[in-house]
């Protein structure tokens, strides 16, 4: 069974991913060994609180370790406009009862990698600062990780700039360390995540439930949909992080191509861009990353909605 360590910046789409994962964990489809959080969509204190709160709401007992407050070199850019001041669509949930783990995110990654060498799958849905710090501390960590599924980057598009995606752009130095580490990485970038979204029409089954859990889901989904509408004129909830979570369980949801990928650190217009070499020869370096280029969007959307409905109906 997959032994999973998610690294998150919860965040609305992170929250949807966590609920999906908790349902899979309860059904014995994977084992979530712990969870690390980092500053990203909101400050790290809030991402930790949100992460613990979601695990609590889903009834799974997962230790959450607090990680980096800010990127390796530069200040953090949070996204309250997209995720709300509380990171969860201004739902302002009561604080969780459980406290964060007393180990740091780096320690949790290290400890689990030693406890389960070659068996640990990392899922990252956030800036890669925590993993980069761990790799800087001990580069041999890479050899103990089975694989990492990373939501971030893009081949043909960006979101925070024309060419850069938020998780990579928030800490490009960290992303470069991780991408160059030798870990077997699947990059779930915007090329595939922009193909998986819900519009209001897709939410009918949730609307029909009418309980507190369904209302919470609708509130956060509609909040982020409104933010996308203001930004792009298209009202929809893009399911970035849930897709990466689902790929951990069902890798055949996406088609990948192994490419040389590196992260631009210094371009005036391109900092944070994932530079993907698809020329079929590799003058830039070895093919180091499996880049997702196609996704079975319908299968994924049904799978995710079924999982969320399952959780909501149990409330
Ligand atoms: O670009 C999408 C990513 O940035 C997601 O992880 C989302 O949570 C945001 O932080
Ligand atoms: Ca995220």
């Amino acid at each position: 069974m997959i032994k999973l360590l998610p690294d998150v910046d919860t965040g609305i789409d992170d929250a949807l991913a966590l609920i999906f994962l908790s349902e899979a964990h309860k059904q014995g489809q994977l084992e979530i060994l712990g969870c690390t959080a980092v500053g990203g969509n909101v400050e790290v204190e809030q991402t930790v609180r949100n992460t613990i709160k979601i695990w609590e709401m889903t009834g799974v007992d997962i230790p959450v370790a607090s990680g980096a407050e800010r990127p390796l070199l530069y200040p953090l850019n949070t996204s309250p406009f997209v995720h709300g001041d509380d990171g969860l669509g201004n739902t302002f949930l009561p604080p969780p009862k459980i406290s964060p783990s007393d180990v740091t995110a780096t320690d949790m990654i290290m400890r689990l990698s030693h406890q389960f060498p070659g068996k640990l799958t990392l899922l990252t849905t956030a800036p890669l600062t925590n993993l980069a710090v761990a790799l800087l501390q001990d580069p041999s960590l890479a050899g103990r990780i089975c694989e990492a599924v990373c939501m971030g980057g893009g081949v043909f598009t960006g979101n925070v700039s024309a060419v850069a995606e938020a998780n990579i752009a928030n800490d490009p130095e960290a992303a470069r360390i991780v991408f160059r580490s030798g870990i077997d990485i699947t990059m779930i970038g915007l090329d595939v995540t922009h193909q998986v979204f819900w519009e209001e029409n897709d939410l009918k089954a949730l609307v029909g439930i009418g309980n507190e859990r369904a209302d919470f889901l609708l509130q956060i989904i509609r909040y982020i949909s409104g933010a996308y509408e203001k930004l792009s004129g298209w009202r929809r909830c893009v399911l970035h992080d849930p897709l990466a979570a689902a790929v951990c369980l069902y890798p055949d949801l996406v088609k990948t191509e192994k490419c040389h990928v590196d992260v631009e650190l210094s371009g005036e217009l391109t900092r944070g861009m994932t530079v993907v070499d698809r020329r079929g020869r590799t003058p830039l370096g070895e093919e180091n990353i499996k880049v997702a280029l196609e996704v079975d969007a319908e299968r994924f959307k049904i799978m995710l909605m079924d999982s969320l409905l399952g959780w909501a109906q149990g409330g």
Side-chain angles (χ1 to χ4, degrees):
M1 198 194 309
I2 300 167
K3 297 190 181 306
L4 191 73
L5 175 59
D7 183 49
V8 296
D9 63 339
T10 317
I12 290 173
D13 58 330
D14 303 76
L16 299 176
L18 295 178
I19 296 169
F20 171 82
L21 289 172
S22 71
E23 290 296 290
H25 177 87
K26 285 186 272 187
Q27 285 160 18
Q29 294 170 334
L30 50 71
E31 187 184 4
I32 306 168
L33 299 171
C35 186
T36 54
V38 67
N41 290 322
V42 283
E43 302 287 339
V44 69
E45 294 75 20
Q46 190 66 36
T47 66
V48 170
R49 203 173 305 148
N50 291 348
T51 306
I52 298 174
K53 185 71 190 179
I54 297 292
W55 292 135
E56 209 174 77
M57 286 163 71
T58 58
V60 293
D61 181 15
I62 313 281
V64 176
S66 181
E69 282 172 25
R70 64 183 69 84
L72 293 180
L73 298 184
Y74 295 96
L76 176 68
N77 286 314
T78 56
S79 311
F81 178 74
V82 178
H83 294 269
D85 291 334
D86 63 350
L88 290 175
N90 291 342
T91 48
F92 298 111
L93 298 172
K97 296 186 186 74
I98 300 163
S99 305
S101 158
D102 46 17
V103 302
T104 64
T106 313
D107 287 345
M108 186 179 274
I109 296 169
M110 276 321 175
R111 282 184 196 190
L112 289 173
S113 77
H114 281 289
Q115 223 175 322
F116 302 100
K119 300 227 153 47
L120 192 62
T121 296
L122 301 178
L123 164 67
T124 69
T125 65
L128 288 159
T129 323
N130 286 341
L131 184 52
V133 170
L135 285 162
L136 286 172
Q137 201 171 302
D138 176 9
S140 74
L141 167 66
R144 295 191 299 278
I145 301 298
C146 171
E147 64 162 332
V149 178
C150 301
M151 192 285 127
V155 183
F156 297 110
T157 188
N159 55 8
V160 291
S161 79
V163 294
E165 181 280 330
N167 288 339
I168 305 293
N170 231 328
D171 196 346
E173 283 76 16
R176 179 179 273 200
I177 290 167
V178 172
F179 279 29
R180 288 183 175 189
S181 67
I183 295 176
D184 176 0
I185 293 175
T186 301
M187 179 177 121
I188 305 297
L190 298 174
D191 312 284
V192 283
T193 66
H194 276 165
Q195 294 180 50
V196 291
F197 52 83
W198 284 328
E199 296 174 296
E200 187 61 34
N201 249 343
D202 298 307
L203 306 177
K204 285 185 188 138
L206 264 182
V207 173
I209 295 180
N211 68 11
E212 211 175 307
R213 288 185 183 181
D215 289 349
F216 167 72
L217 289 172
L218 287 168
Q219 232 177 310
I220 62 173
I221 291 168
R222 285 174 174 154
Y223 187 95
I224 202 163
S225 303
Y228 269 82
E229 186 174 19
K230 284 179 202 143
L231 287 167
S232 69
W234 183 3
R235 186 177 174 83
R236 71 204 195 284
C237 171
V238 179
L239 302 163
H240 303 283
D241 295 345
L243 178 61
V247 167
C248 294
L249 267 173
Y250 305 101
D252 63 340
L253 277 172
V254 291
K255 278 200 185 124
T256 62
E257 185 176 307
K258 198 154 188 198
C259 302
H260 178 80
V261 184
D262 210 336
V263 179
E264 178 60 77
L265 302 185
S266 57
E268 189 189 344
L269 301 174
T270 54
R271 182 170 152 79
M273 176 182 185
T274 44
V275 179
V276 180
D277 193 339
R278 297 188 66 211
R279 290 174 291 177
R281 56 194 168 91
T282 56
L284 281 177
E286 257 181 54
E287 291 154 346
N288 56 340
I289 307 284
K290 289 184 245 165
V291 180
L293 292 169
E294 286 176 44
V295 56
D296 187 342
E298 281 316 304
R299 180 178 158 219
F300 163 70
K301 281 162 62 176
I302 290 167
M303 174 191 295
L304 180 63
M305 184 53 85
D306 281 352
S307 168
L308 297 186
L309 288 171
W311 175 68
Q313 278 155 347

